[in-house]
Amino acid sequence: MQATESQNIFNIREGDIRLFEQVFQMYCKELVRYANTILKNADEAEDIVQQLFVNLWQKRESLQVNTSMRSYLYRAVHNCCLNRIKQLSVKQTYTTYMGYAGEQHSAPASAAIQQKEVEKAIGVAIEKLPEQCRKIFKLSRQHGMRYQQIADELNLSVKTVENQMGKALKHMREQLKDYLPGVILFFLYHN
Amino acid sequence: MTEDKTYIDELIAKYLTGEALPDEAIELEDWRSANAINHDYVSKVEQAYRITHMLPKAKEVDPYELFEKVKTQITVPPKQNALVTHLRDYATLWRVLAAVFVLGLGVIFALYFILDAKKGLSVYESGNGVLKQKLADGTQLELMANTKLELVDSKKRRFRLSGEATFYVVHNASDPFVIEAGGIQIKDIGTLFTVKAIEGNDSVHVKVAEGIVQVYSASDTIELHQHQIGVFIRSTQRLINFSKRKTNEKKIERVFHFSNSALKEAVEIINAAYPEKITLADRRLEKCLITVDFNGQPIEEIISILAETLGLSYDKIPSGYRLKGTACLP
């Protein structure tokens, strides 16, 4: 850990609210982004980061950071998210995702047509994936399965799932590139 | 950082699916913020992931608004109360005397800083002219017209800038020289550099003449070396390093996203990345607003797109191109 960072941690322990705010401003966006990848819920992600900093301030006198402040915060967010997932069942979380898709019925006709086109393109792109890659991607997409669950289901190693998911997403990015600028419009009706 | 593409694709997939461990997430954030091409690549994969997995568009986080929510849930102890609490802990008289001694020193320091502020050292304003100033630590400042530099922490070398200024900083590792300007923080590492943060402009520019500076936005960090220029686009919150040290990085610098940006800002950013310069025939054109993306096109194509988008025309001149016309004037 750099000398200036240990000084910063010392100052936060001593109650330097201004410095605490600077640390918050510096890392909050990327921490919320990270929490959102785990929770798949932007509001929950914001709450986790917000509560983390509230706890951090309240327990600042016993704050012990052995790595960098950034690593410390990422680990804390990761642990908080895993605890949160324990509280919410995966099924409930997935229902929340699907809730967004359910709102599509209220979208204007033009958006519905565009959505159908995108869905068709997704289907075509998935079918172009090699067989094993396609199976893995479908389990992630349709069942919200985690890497370990997919590995268990298909009797593969987690490393293979990691590798195939990397390839699948790269393939989807290339196959759907013509539709990506339209994503913003597509999701306007889902928020 | 491993630059293997397969590894990066796996890392992105792990991150998006929520499988990334903290260190992996940090590694990806660092790779994403290294340059505009990486940023764009991750964004595109993220968009593809979101549509295939039926996830909503990522919500834009406002760090200031979020911190206001944190503030409502925390208590900031007044300094006097903290002092009383500490006094209660002292068991012996000599400790109390030591505390009084330290307090006395504190009062002397406080008086020093109050008097310092009264001498007018905490705010520098250039007015209509250029103000040159040497600070007590030897740091030299040159403030361009209509610039204000404010000391925001009397105990540290921390300033807030509005306008344009050049700093020749005397480096002190234990007391870094930090400038807050238009949504970013700039920290010197032994440096001569210029910061341009004009109120109302969409971009903040940091140009390093000597040494190294670190520039932080709410979500990104870049390090600028000699002859490098960093630009922070306020509307998109993007922090870009326009490196001029390596010729093979030139393409990387030429990915721009302008969203309702003033033409003046767009031209400045493009000019920083190409040897041929774009100039405006009429200063009123500076205020024209432009929304357009460029992904490494040659300057001839960029000038053509700018002209067509804004209903203008252009001439080839020895230094580059000159945009002219009036169609986009507000």
Side-chain angles (χ1 to χ4, degrees), chain B residues 120-232:
Chain B
L121 292 177
S122 58
V123 180
Y124 303 94
E125 288 186 89
S126 58
N128 293 325
V130 173
L131 174 67
K132 289 186 180 181
Q133 184 77 41
K134 190 171 183 179
L135 303 182
D137 65 356
T139 294
Q140 293 174 50
L141 317 171
E142 186 172 331
L143 273 56
M144 300 299 115
N146 304 314
T147 295
K148 183 181 177 184
L149 183 72
E150 192 179 354
L151 184 65
V152 292
D153 187 333
S154 59
K155 293 177 186 172
K156 294 173 188 167
R157 298 193 300 170
R158 187 174 285 274
F159 296 85
R160 186 176 297 128
L161 174 73
S162 171
E164 183 177 356
T166 298
F167 303 85
Y168 201 168
V169 177
V170 174
H171 184 59
N172 177 353
S174 63
D175 185 12
F177 193 91
V178 179
I179 297 156
E180 299 171 12
I184 54 172
Q185 292 187 353
I186 302 126
K187 187 169 90 173
D188 92 285
I189 308 179
T191 321
L192 173 61
F193 63 101
T194 300
V195 181
K196 192 173 174 185
I198 310 291
E199 214 160 295
N201 281 7
D202 191 36
S203 60
V204 179
H205 297 227
V206 182
K207 186 176 178 181
V208 178
E210 288 175 22
I212 306 168
V213 297
Q214 284 174 338
V215 185
Y216 305 90
S217 70
S219 56
D220 295 318
T221 304
I222 57 171
E223 192 167 273
L224 299 175
H225 294 253
Q226 192 173 18
H227 305 315
Q228 290 188 334
I229 297 170
V231 178
F232 176 63

Side-chain angles (χ1 to χ4, degrees), chain A residues 26 34 43 141 147 163 187, chain B residues 10 19-20 52 55 59 218:
Chain A
M26 193 170 287
Y34 179 46
D43 293 331
R141 178 177 183 245
Y147 280 11
N163 179 267
F187 284 112
Chain B
E10 286 176 21
E19 298 277 348
T52 56
L55 296 172
K59 190 175 157 188

Side-chain angles (χ1 to χ4, degrees), chain A:
Chain A
M1 187 166 37
Q2 290 183 342
T4 47
E5 190 153 85
S6 17
Q7 182 62 41
N8 286 346
I9 291 160
F10 174 80
N11 289 343
I12 288 174
R13 269 197 224 121
E14 293 293 300
D16 188 337
I17 185 72
R18 193 179 169 78
L19 185 60
F20 179 70
E21 182 174 357
Q22 280 167 13
V23 170
F24 182 89
Q25 308 285 10
M26 193 170 287
Y27 297 122
C28 122
K29 270 191 174 182
E30 60 185 87
L31 291 173
V32 171
R33 201 154 49 215
Y34 179 46
N36 198 14
T37 65
I38 302 171
L39 297 171
K40 303 286 187 280
N41 184 315
D43 293 331
E44 286 275 358
E46 271 196 23
D47 283 348
I48 288 280
V49 173
Q50 193 182 316
Q51 201 51 50
L52 165 67
F53 275 88
V54 169
N55 292 339
L56 190 67
W57 178 257
Q58 284 167 345
K59 295 176 183 171
R60 66 187 180 281
E61 285 171 9
S62 56
L63 177 65
Q64 290 288 340
V65 179
N66 299 318
T67 53
S68 69
M69 188 58 148
R70 192 178 178 210
S71 289
Y72 174 87
L73 292 169
Y74 265 84
R75 288 207 179 108
V77 164
H78 187 249
N79 292 339
C80 291
C81 287
L82 295 187
N83 287 336
R84 189 77 186 117
I85 287 171
K86 278 181 194 166
Q87 292 163 5
L88 304 164
S89 75
V90 173
K91 193 178 173 183
Q92 279 175 318
T93 313
Y94 194 67
T95 307
T96 312
Y97 308 165
M98 298 308 286
Y100 286 106
E103 290 171 27
Q104 71 199 31
H105 298 299
S106 59
S110 58
I113 292 165
Q114 190 185 15
Q115 187 193 325
K116 277 187 180 172
E117 278 179 23
V118 174
E119 281 172 0
K120 192 178 169 189
I122 291 171
V124 171
I126 289 175
E127 288 312 309
K128 283 185 184 170
L129 285 167
E131 189 182 354
Q132 189 185 52
C133 197
R134 182 168 66 239
K135 277 185 189 169
I136 291 170
F137 186 73
K138 278 185 171 177
L139 288 175
S140 162
R141 178 177 183 245
Q142 291 168 350
H143 302 286
M145 282 177 137
R146 298 186 63 78
Y147 280 11
Q148 185 64 58
Q149 292 172 307
I150 298 172
D152 292 344
E153 175 81 16
L154 300 177
N155 201 20
L156 299 168
S157 69
V158 173
K159 186 65 203 161
T160 303
V161 177
E162 276 178 29
N163 179 267
Q164 295 299 311
M165 276 299 286
K167 281 184 182 165
L169 278 179
K170 186 185 177 191
H171 168 86
M172 297 310 280
R173 172 191 173 271
E174 286 160 359
Q175 292 293 312
L176 299 174
K177 64 183 176 191
D178 293 339
Y179 296 88
L180 296 183
V183 171
I184 295 164
L185 178 68
F186 177 75
F187 284 112
L188 273 177
Y189 299 105
H190 290 68
N191 285 313

Side-chain angles (χ1 to χ4, degrees), chain B residues 297-311:
Chain B
Q297 290 98 325
I299 190 72
E300 299 78 18
E301 196 176 326
I302 287 181
I303 191 74
S304 161
I305 293 170
L306 284 176
E308 195 173 323
T309 308
L310 296 170

